[in-house]
Amino acid sequence: MARLTRDPIDHQALTEAVRSPRCGAVVLFLGTVRDLTGEFVTAYLDYEAYEPMAERKLAEIEAEVTRRWPAATVAMVHRLGRLAPGEVSVAVAVASPHRAEAFDAARYAVDALKELVPIWKRENAPDGTGDWVHQSAKPIPGGTGLPACAAGAQAGRPVPPKPDPDRGTRA
Amino acid sequence: MTHTVRLFARGRELAGADAVPVELPAGATVADLRRALAERYPALAGLLAASAVAVNHDFAEDADVIAPADELAVIPPVSGG
């Protein structure tokens, strides 16, 4: 399944793609467009990506998940284009023999996506105003690295995955 | 030589283009690229300071040297999810 799509995400197909008889646990995370962030009413979001790099970073995150949780199978899809409240913007499916690693791996994958993958959202209000969300007002340190908890002994300064104060989605 | 730098999201809107040319000497680094971009496109300077630079689809360090055929991009703080 493609990792970037302009069509609605088929999260049931994504889930089936990771399921197998050796896996007794399947975690599916869906990020969906939220209609209200604080006092800001979201009419719709526009998602844009640097597509070749986003594909590459998503593949790297998937590889890192299976390096850290060798028994896990993971699949990630992010949607691009215009999304209305309630629509699914991102889906992460993880299957593993037991539930603990499935939850941990899914959490890691979503956090890494939100930190490293060059995708941006523009929040648009009903009156037509809006702006891009570029909230972490500092450069990504180290550059190449995956989050430190996963990167292990890899070169590069540590970048701990930390949930940001989500705007626009429940992700 | 002239390099093309890809822009996204607010960077694209500030520059009014999804890619801009920038002149760099041979052996220039990512730090040189940042300076040249900020001088030539002052509207980008503020966002640039908060952005990463990607070379060939991976995050680059300021000390990295840019080769003629490299694909360059400014990566503002990401907000996928």
Side-chain angles (χ1 to χ4, degrees):
Chain A
M1 184 174 288
R3 296 186 177 93
L4 298 173
T5 179
R6 283 176 172 71
D7 299 322
I9 292 173
D10 186 346
H11 47 83
Q12 184 168 358
L14 191 77
T15 306
E16 291 304 313
V18 301
R19 274 168 31 78
S20 72
R22 68 178 179 80
C23 291
V26 181
V27 168
L28 172 66
F29 172 85
L30 299 179
T32 64
V33 178
R34 186 174 51 232
D35 62 0
L36 194 62
T37 298
E39 295 183 347
F40 185 92
V41 176
T42 296
Y44 58 90
L45 298 179
D46 289 311
Y47 283 93
E48 171 177 322
Y50 180 18
E51 295 190 34
M53 182 171 171
E55 291 269 7
R56 173 177 171 162
K57 289 294 154 191
L58 288 167
E60 287 178 6
I61 291 167
E62 291 181 7
E64 183 63 20
V65 166
T66 49
R67 192 190 71 80
R68 282 177 62 83
W69 293 277
T73 303
V74 59
M76 310 172 75
V77 179
H78 202 295
R79 192 166 164 198
L80 303 176
R82 181 159 294 183
L83 276 71
E87 288 197 274
V88 177
S89 55
V90 62
V92 175
V94 177
S96 67
H98 302 285
R99 70 184 181 285
E101 59 266 43
F103 279 118
D104 290 348
R107 174 67 184 259
Y108 168 82
V110 177
D111 288 352
L113 179 152
K114 292 178 72 75
E115 181 165 342
L116 292 173
V117 180
I119 298 174
W120 301 271
K121 68 168 73 79
R122 188 181 201 280
E123 292 180 330
N124 302 281
D127 64 2
T129 61
D131 200 2
W132 292 98
V133 181
H134 295 308
Q135 61 214 117
S136 65
K138 54 179 187 283
I140 297 167
T144 58
L146 286 157
C149 73
Q154 283 183 14
R157 281 163 264 164
V159 186
K162 46 188 179 296
D164 58 21
D166 301 311
R167 298 181 67 197
T169 76
R170 298 188 190 280
Chain B
M1 67 173 291
T2 303
H3 297 259
T4 299
V5 182
R6 302 193 60 174
L7 302 173
F8 298 93
R10 192 183 297 152
R12 176 171 52 72
E13 291 188 351
L14 289 169
D18 59 12
V20 292
V22 65
E23 194 71 30
L24 292 174
T29 64
V30 168
D32 296 327
L33 168 66
R34 288 178 176 277
R35 278 190 289 273
L37 271 176
E39 279 177 23
R40 170 108 188 249
Y41 307 97
L44 282 177
L47 182 65
L48 193 59
S51 298
V53 170
V55 176
N56 298 330
H57 308 151
D58 208 352
F59 293 109
E61 304 275 2
D62 279 353
D64 290 349
V65 174
I66 294 167
D70 283 348
E71 183 169 319
L72 308 176
V74 174
I75 310 293
V78 302
S79 53

